[in-house]
């Protein structure tokens, strides 16, 4: 348990809903859910989640903090926005799913081995380091996400696709070494640092 | 039949009647068989010229009784409206040419049908007179409102503002009823976000300022007798004095009693003072006066308040209310908002949150926004602990048994109507006693009813019992679908929660409707006109005393308690209580009850005049007695929409299936009809019968015909009853055509001569 997590547990022992409202993106919408179940029924991945959105919202209200934050469920959201456009209460469900995932990550409670979590981390690192996504390096990193052997296998498997992309000039192999990125990387980093600082400060306010 | 009756038949050849039918043959039928003194054809009878033709004959004295052989009696009623003239109509358009296929093959049977209908109308008119009405002389136009709650006060104000004097009789010492105990009410105005003042004080002030309204507190009705326009009411006061007054109509706004939560020990009622019902919580909010809400046990601050919805409601369990009281979800939201405002956290446990009305959904959102927690779960138990309560429930979303701790638990119990004595139960008990069956024996199929000690409210001196009849669960019976304010006692209008569960806003709308009904009743009584559903009808039943055997069937079967008994035990008809359904006429075994324009004869002669082809012609005849409220219009509409049915049926509209006298059925069978179909409205608890019990009684009577059929060695299929609705435009022709197949199967009647 990270320090921050320990702190919030004490603070919100009795009211996880308030914690979510304060810390999760669009979290103050959770209370507006009227438990109709339209979101769960609309989600293309619904049958595969342990706790579809409707249930997650109810668990939040029922103070099931550990279960929610360590759940893999919200990490399954593919941002298709099906639920969001259908919810009769106009709850921004998609945003809350990602908000919950992110909050769990900040607290160190997110399940470590989730592929979607790994992808998110790799993608963010790739993007934020230069300001432009480096697709070649991103693909390679994803291939090797689950270890060297797996990565080689994956690369061989994808070889015909890669060659095809090369021929069609859809991929530049040199980009791996000469990725340009944005012009003002320093400026970008400053922006991101500032954002991180604001978020942490906000979270710090809720530490006991 | 006196000689001064002069008959005229008018045969229309418009609307395609001339092309499809042989009008000369009809003219012959009318003059030869029908014995009409004047018979005229016209190419467009309902236009000004055609109508003038009739008017001229009436004016010259050549004709006094009119037969119109044209369209359905439901069509062109404005053109064919002649004051004080008896009129019979042969339905040749909807009933014949539109319901039969065109073409040579069908020409003969279509013509036979038309000629029969002309014959029937001519037979009917001979027994018709124009109704003269039976106005109440010395009518009182004053309206009595029983109950001074929101419904009663609203009714009184609306009636007074329409120019009628009103007396409110309220049994308690103050006006306001339940509403007066409320801190706020569910909002009635956009944006429906906050509880608003109950408005009761303003209502009371308006009543006090209204010169036409007189209020009697601490008073009750000790006796009510009479009829619309002339109710004689004794108003007793607490001090024991009584006053006799005359009223024109009565609005019964007696409201409800809170369900007794002592019936819910499993939910902690009676086990801890910290378990209260909604009224109890209202009192706590009032006592808190804006400060923190205190627990009744020890005055500590209620930090967690849990609302349990549907407590003892919507449940099949013994002693619970089977119905939803309609307002309690919104009331709990309102109260939870008060709890939040007082610094507590409120949780509402519901299985279905029902938020009817305009405010519903918005108010629910407002409750969520202000932080009330809503959990979908059913509560199994509330257990008092050392310093708080444990609420055990089944979370229906997370599918788990779980619990919550609360300082205060509010049970959303329901409303029990104050409808007085259940006269049907009394009657049933009396019958049981009379039959020698031990009263109250175990195992009688009693519904789970909540028994609260009841006293009569109206103390009616009617033969049928002291209060208005109830339908289900103790609510006053009223025609839910078509005439919601009409009780089964003409001139007495139950309104508000005594009629069905409802919230304040609905009660106010309801009370306004009841006020209008009361006004209609007094005005109708003054003119001798029926209030409803045959509004304006001047006919009323009377009986031939010499023939009456004092069997009392009419008094018992009249669904509206219109008939009392005189000192000699003869029926005493109160025409202004009567709805003109004819159920008494159908009931009378010696057939002495009749209306001026509707009687055993008017129908009996029609069915007898129909030509019955002999058995070798292979043309069956089926008599259809169709309720004129639903079945007959549906048959007309079947014709209008080009649905065809068998040409072998002859249809006679009846006021209500209840008015069908069994003699018509036996006469029909004796005359060689191959079958009789009765078509009426839906019966039972979800009845649509315009006269509430008419269809049910007819079904019952017909079920007894089976025996008779057996003794005549006739198949039971020869007489069938169908429940139909006005929307059964396709179904009714199917029923008819299927029935013809049945007749084909069982063969023609052996009674053809
Ligand atoms: S669709 Fe919206 S209101 Fe319905 S359960 Fe999902 S989040 Fe709640
Ligand atoms: S946006 Fe996410 S949670 Fe919503 S339907 Fe799509 S995958 Fe499911
Ligand atoms: S049965 Fe119908 S017609 Fe007869 S008295 Fe009663 S209400 Fe009137
Ligand atoms: S049903 Fe007929 S016979 Fe019987 S009491 Fe009534 S009027 Fe008389």
């Amino acid at each position: 348990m990270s320090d921050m997590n320990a702190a919030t547990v004490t603070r919100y022992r009795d009211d996880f809903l308030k914690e979510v409202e304060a810390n999760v993106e669009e979290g103050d919408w959770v209370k507006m859910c009227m438990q109709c179940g339209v979101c769960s029924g609309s989600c293309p991945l619904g049958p595969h989640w342990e706790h579809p959105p409707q249930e997650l919202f109810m668990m939040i209200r029922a103070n099931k903090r550990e279960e929610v934050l360590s759940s893999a469920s919200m990490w399954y959201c593919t941002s298709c926005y099906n639920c969001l456009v259908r919810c009769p209460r106009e709850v921004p469900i998609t945003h809350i799913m990602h908000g919950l995932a992110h909050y769990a990550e900040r607290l160190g409670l997110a399940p470590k081995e989730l592929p979607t979590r790994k992808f998110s981390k790799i993608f963010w690192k790739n993007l934020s380091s230069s300001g432009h996504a480096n697709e070649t390096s991103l693909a390679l990193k994803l291939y090797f996400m689950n270890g060297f052997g797996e990565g080689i296998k994956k690369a061989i498997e994808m070889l015909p696709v890669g060659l095809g992309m090369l021929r069609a000039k859809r991929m530049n192999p040199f980009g791996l070494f000469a990725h340009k990125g944005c012009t003002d990387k320093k400026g970008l980093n400053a922006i991101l640092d500032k954002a991180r600082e604001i978020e942490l400060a906000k979270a710090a306010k809720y530490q006991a | 039949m006196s000689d001064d009756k002069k008959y005229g038949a008018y045969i229309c050849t418009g609307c395609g009647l001339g092309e499809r039918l042989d009008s000369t043959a009809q003219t012959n039928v009318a003059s030869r068989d029908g014995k009409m003194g004047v018979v005229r054809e016209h190419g467009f009878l309902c236009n000004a010229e055609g109508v003038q033709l009739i008017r001229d004959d009436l004016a010259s004295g050549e004709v006094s009784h009119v037969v119109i052989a044209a369209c359905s009696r439901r069509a062109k009623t404005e053109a064919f409206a002649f004051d004080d003239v008896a009129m019979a109509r042969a339905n040749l358009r909807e009933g014949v040419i539109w319901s039969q296929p065109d073409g040579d093959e069908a020409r003969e049977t279509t013509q036979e049908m038309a000629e029969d209908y002309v014959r029937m109308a001519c037979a009917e008119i001979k027994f018709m007179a124009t109704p003269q009405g039976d106005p109440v002389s010395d009518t009182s136009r004053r309206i009595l409102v029983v109950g001074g709650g929101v419904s009663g006060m609203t009714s009184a104000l609306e009636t007074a503002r329409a120019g009628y004097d009103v007396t409110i009789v309220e049994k308690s010492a103050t006006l306001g009823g339940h509403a007066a105990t409320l801190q706020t009410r569910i909002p009635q105005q956009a944006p429906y976000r906050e509880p608003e003042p109950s408005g009761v004080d303003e209502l009371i002030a308006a009543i006090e300022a209204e010169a036409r309204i007189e209020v009697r507190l601490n008073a009750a009705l000790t006796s009510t007798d009479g009829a619309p326009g002339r109710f004689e009411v004794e108003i007793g006061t607490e001090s024991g004095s009584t006053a006799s007054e005359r009223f024109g109509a009565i609005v019964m706004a007696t409201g409800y009693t809170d369900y007794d939560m002592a019936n819910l020990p499993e939910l902690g009622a009676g086990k801890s003072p910290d378990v209260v019902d909604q009224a109890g919580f209202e009192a706590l909010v009032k006592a808190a006066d804006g400060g923190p809400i205190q627990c009744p046990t020890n005055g500590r601050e209620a930090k967690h308040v849990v609302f349990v919805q549907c407590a003892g409601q919507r449940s099949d369990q013994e002693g619970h209310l089977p119905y939803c009281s309609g307002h309690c979800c919104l009331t709990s939201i309102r109260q939870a908002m008060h709890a939040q405002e007082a610094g507590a956290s409120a949780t509402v446990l519901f299985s279905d949150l029902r938020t009817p009305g305009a405010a519903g959904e918005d108010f629910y959102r407002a409750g969520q926004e202000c932080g009330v927690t809503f959990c979908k779960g059913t509560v199994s138990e509330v257990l008092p602990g050392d310093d708080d309560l444990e609420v055990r429930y089944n979370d229906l979303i997370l599918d788990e048994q779980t619990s919550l701790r609360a300082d205060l638990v509010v049970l959303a119990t329901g409303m029990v109507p104050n409808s007085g004595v259940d006269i049907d139960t009394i009657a049933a008990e009396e019958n049981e006693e009379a039959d020698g069956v031990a009263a109250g024996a175990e195992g009688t199929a009693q519904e789970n009813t909540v028994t609260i000690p009841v006293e009569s409210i109206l103390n009616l001196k009617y033969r049928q019992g002291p209060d208005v009849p109830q339908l289900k669960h103790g609510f006053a019976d009223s025609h839910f679908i078509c005439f919601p304010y009409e009780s089964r006692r003409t001139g007495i209008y139950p309104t508000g929660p005594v009629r069905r569960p409802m919230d304040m806003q609905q009660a106010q709308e309801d009370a306004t409707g009841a006020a209008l009904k009361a006004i209609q009743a007094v005005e109708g009584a003054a003119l001798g006109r029926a209030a409803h559903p045959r509004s304006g009808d001047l006919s009323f039943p009377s009986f031939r005393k010499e023939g009456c055997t004092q069997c009392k069937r009419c008094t018992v079967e009249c669904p509206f308690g219109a008939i009392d008994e005189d000192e000699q035990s003869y029926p005493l008809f109160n025409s202004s209580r009567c709805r003109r359904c004819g159920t008494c006429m159908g009931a009378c075994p010696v057939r002495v009850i009749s209306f001026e324009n509707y009687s055993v004869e008017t129908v009996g002669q029609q069915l007898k005049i129909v030509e019955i082809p002999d058995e070798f012609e292979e043309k069956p005849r089926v008599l259809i007695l169709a309720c004129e409220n639903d079945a007959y219009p549906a048959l007309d509409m079947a014709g209008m929409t080009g649905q065809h049915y068998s040409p072998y049926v002859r249809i006679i509209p009846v006021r209500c299936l209840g008015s069908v006298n069994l003699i018509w059925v036996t006469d029909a069978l004796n005359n060689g009809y191959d079958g009789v179909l009765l078509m009426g409205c839906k019966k039972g608890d979800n009845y649509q019968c315009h006269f509430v019990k008419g269809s049910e009684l007819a079904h019952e009577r017909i079920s007894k015909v089976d025996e008779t059929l057996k003794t005549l060695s006739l198949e039971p299929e020869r007489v069938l009853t169908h429940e139909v609705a006005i929307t059964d435009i396709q179904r009714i022709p199917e029923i008819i055509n299927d029935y013809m197949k049945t007749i084909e199967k069982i063969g023609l009647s052996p009674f053809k001569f």
Side-chain angles (χ1 to χ4, degrees), chain A residues 38-46 49 52-53 73-74 76-85 93-95 97-98:
Chain A
V38 165
C39 50
S40 307
S42 306
C43 180
L45 289 146
W49 298 30
S73 293
M74 57 274 190
Y76 277 64
C77 172
T78 62
S79 307
C80 74
Y81 284 83
N82 222 358
C83 54
L84 188 143
V85 296
I93 303 160
T94 315
H95 303 176
M97 289 304 111
H98 296 306

Side-chain angles (χ1 to χ4, degrees), chain B residues 147 183 495 591 649 652 700 725:
Chain B
Q183 296 308 293
T495 184
R591 302 178 294 283
V649 297
I652 303 180
E700 215 176 288

